Amino acid sequence: MIGKILGTGSCVPAQSWDNNKLSEMVDTNDEWIRERTGIVTRHVAQSGESTAALAAGAARAALENAGLGAEALDLIIVATVSPENLVPCTACQVQEALGAGAATCFDLNGACTGFLLAMNTAQAYLAQGIYRTALIVGAECLSNLTDWKDRSTCILFGDGAGAAVLQAQPKGRYAQVTHSEGDRGAVLTCASRNRREFGETGGPETFLRMDGGEVFKFAVSRVPRVIAELLEKEAVALEEIDYFVLHQANARIVAAVAKRLGGDPERFPLNIAEYGNTSSASIPILLDELNRAGKLRRGMKLILAGFGGGLSYGASLIVW
Ligand code: UT7
């Protein structure tokens, strides 16, 4: 058995901040942000637009796209590093919002690789015949974890959610390779606010902190490597891949990965200009855009690749 993607959806906050707005908050400018990252705007959640609400919005759109009702779901996994609550988990909040009473629900923290890890987990359950129909969501309100006084990070991140509905089918193809490098975790961190030593006010450690240069180097070396590993394992040629749907962290990272692999940049779609880096949501939002633009046809081969906090990274091969 294999999980086939029957539908995708996404949901982002209504309000969008352009680079000029950020230049009023920190010492930066539109030209620097565009040139160094490719980002032009990012959606920023306002009151009421919680991680769970965005996740539920993306989930509804994915169910509609799949032509299924919420009662069909028997598994919901939400990948997030920015839930409003530790308990109940965001997936249970999505279950309630959808009325998906038959589903088993849990969250997964895989940082920017989270959506891929959620997909791998769902695929394993579906392959075993344990569940039949799964909803996987990547959802973030990174604006809650962003230090809006730190120009080296605040220009990068955005809020949003993307989702996919998978259903077990006897035939199809799915393959994945993932890796983690816990000994390098210090280059991208965000401490929990629920630590006694931080007292009531939290602390600077409770915002996203990053050695941007190190993360950049990590990404452009590991992502081509893991994609090559996956292609070799599956005996698939680079030219057979129709789209490489990469985590949107920086347009220069995507371009560097395409160059290192020797792939046609046209097959490495980008949407970071509008959304910024939405961590676990970036891959499913991009997938949904490709789907809704009619660019995905059944039988096409796609590689999804994520990388980020942990450090962690991975790639998956799907046949649409
Ligand atoms: O989702 C996974 C996690 N994140 C990532 O994958 C991010 C990976 N890293 C990156 O995307 C890039 O490293 C950044 C976009 C974060 C930074 O770009 P960079 O080209 O590596 O710039 P830099 O940190 O080397 O800084 C270059 C200069 C510095 O000034 P000096 O020392 O050359 O005078 C910075 O102080 O740019 C300065 N700078 C800025 N200037 C204007 C840093 N941030 C800004 C800013 N606006 N926002």
Side-chain angles (χ1 to χ4, degrees), residues 28 32 36-37 112 151 188 210 212-213 215 247 249-250 252 277:
T28 190
W32 192 96
R36 299 287 178 130
T37 69
C112 304
R151 70 174 183 172
L188 177 46
M210 182 173 70
V215 181
H247 167 50
N250 187 319
R252 289 190 296 136
N277 177 347

Side-chain angles (χ1 to χ4, degrees), residues 254-310:
V254 177
V257 171
K259 194 170 171 197
R260 282 197 183 200
L261 282 169
D264 168 14
E266 300 250 308
R267 287 186 286 141
F268 290 72
L270 281 166
N271 67 1
I272 192 169
E274 175 177 350
Y275 302 101
N277 177 347
T278 57
S279 190
S280 68
S282 80
I283 291 173
I285 291 175
L286 182 53
L287 194 62
D288 185 48
E289 283 192 351
L290 294 170
N291 184 23
R292 282 169 198 268
K295 293 188 175 167
L296 303 181
R297 291 186 300 280
R298 287 292 166 202
M300 275 185 164
K301 290 193 184 78
L302 313 184
I303 281 192
L304 315 184
F307 57 89

Side-chain angles (χ1 to χ4, degrees), residues 3-309:
K4 189 105 183 151
I5 296 182
L6 297 188
T8 61
S10 56
C11 178
V12 293
Q15 208 175 108
S16 187
W17 290 2
D18 66 13
N19 294 338
N20 292 326
K21 163 123 182 151
L22 295 196
S23 70
E24 292 163 12
M25 300 160 66
V26 288
D27 180 17
T28 190
N29 58 74
D30 179 52
E31 191 188 354
W32 192 96
I33 302 172
R34 279 179 198 248
E35 276 181 9
R36 299 287 178 130
T37 69
I39 298 167
V40 179
T41 61
R42 72 283 294 143
H43 294 263
V44 180
Q46 305 302 307
S47 173
E49 292 177 311
S50 63
T51 303
L54 296 174
R60 280 192 197 95
L63 282 167
E64 197 183 336
N65 189 236
L68 290 178
E71 67 287 349
L73 297 174
D74 46 19
L75 175 66
I76 300 176
I77 307 175
V78 176
T80 184
V81 295
S82 52
E84 275 74 41
N85 307 305
L86 295 179
V87 180
C89 66
T90 309
C92 279
Q93 293 179 280
V94 171
Q95 175 188 36
E96 185 191 15
L98 299 178
T104 294
C105 310
F106 60 91
D107 287 4
L108 179 155
N109 176 346
C112 304
T113 319
F115 184 79
L116 275 197
L117 296 169
M119 173 110 88
N120 292 346
T121 306
Q123 289 286 357
Y125 276 120
L126 299 183
Q128 290 295 312
I130 296 169
Y131 301 115
R132 188 175 131 73
T133 309
L135 168 72
I136 49 171
V137 189
E140 305 288 2
C141 280
L142 297 179
S143 56
N144 290 329
L145 306 180
T146 299
D147 179 352
W148 292 102
K149 295 191 181 81
D150 175 10
R151 70 174 183 172
S152 71
T153 54
C154 76
I155 51 113
L156 289 172
F157 300 114
D159 300 337
V165 173
L166 306 180
Q167 196 161 64
Q169 294 188 359
K171 284 192 186 150
R173 191 168 185 186
Y174 183 77
Q176 52 98 7
V177 177
T178 54
H179 297 290
S180 298
E181 298 181 12
D183 58 339
R184 303 194 64 207
V187 300
L188 177 46
T189 62
C190 183
S192 166
R193 286 171 196 183
N194 303 303
R195 279 209 230 158
R196 201 161 290 152
E197 69 257 37
F198 294 149
E200 285 177 12
T201 50
E205 305 90 340
T206 63
F207 293 109
L208 282 160
R209 299 288 176 211
M210 182 173 70
D211 182 336
E214 281 303 310
V215 181
F216 195 100
K217 281 189 268 176
F218 159 78
V220 299
S221 73
R222 300 304 193 275
V223 177
R225 196 196 291 174
V226 76
I227 290 175
E229 189 183 345
L230 177 63
L231 290 172
E232 191 182 335
K233 181 175 138 217
E234 291 302 303
V236 172
L238 187 80
E239 297 69 39
E240 290 179 56
I241 304 301
D242 295 286
Y243 286 112
F244 296 84
V245 181
L246 267 50
H247 167 50
Q248 304 283 296
N250 187 319
R252 289 190 296 136
I253 292 178
V254 177
V257 171
K259 194 170 171 197
R260 282 197 183 200
L261 282 169
D264 168 14
E266 300 250 308
R267 287 186 286 141
F268 290 72
L270 281 166
N271 67 1
I272 192 169
E274 175 177 350
Y275 302 101
N277 177 347
T278 57
S279 190
S280 68
S282 80
I283 291 173
I285 291 175
L286 182 53
L287 194 62
D288 185 48
E289 283 192 351
L290 294 170
N291 184 23
R292 282 169 198 268
K295 293 188 175 167
L296 303 181
R297 291 186 300 280
R298 287 292 166 202
M300 275 185 164
K301 290 193 184 78
L302 313 184
I303 281 192
L304 315 184
F307 57 89

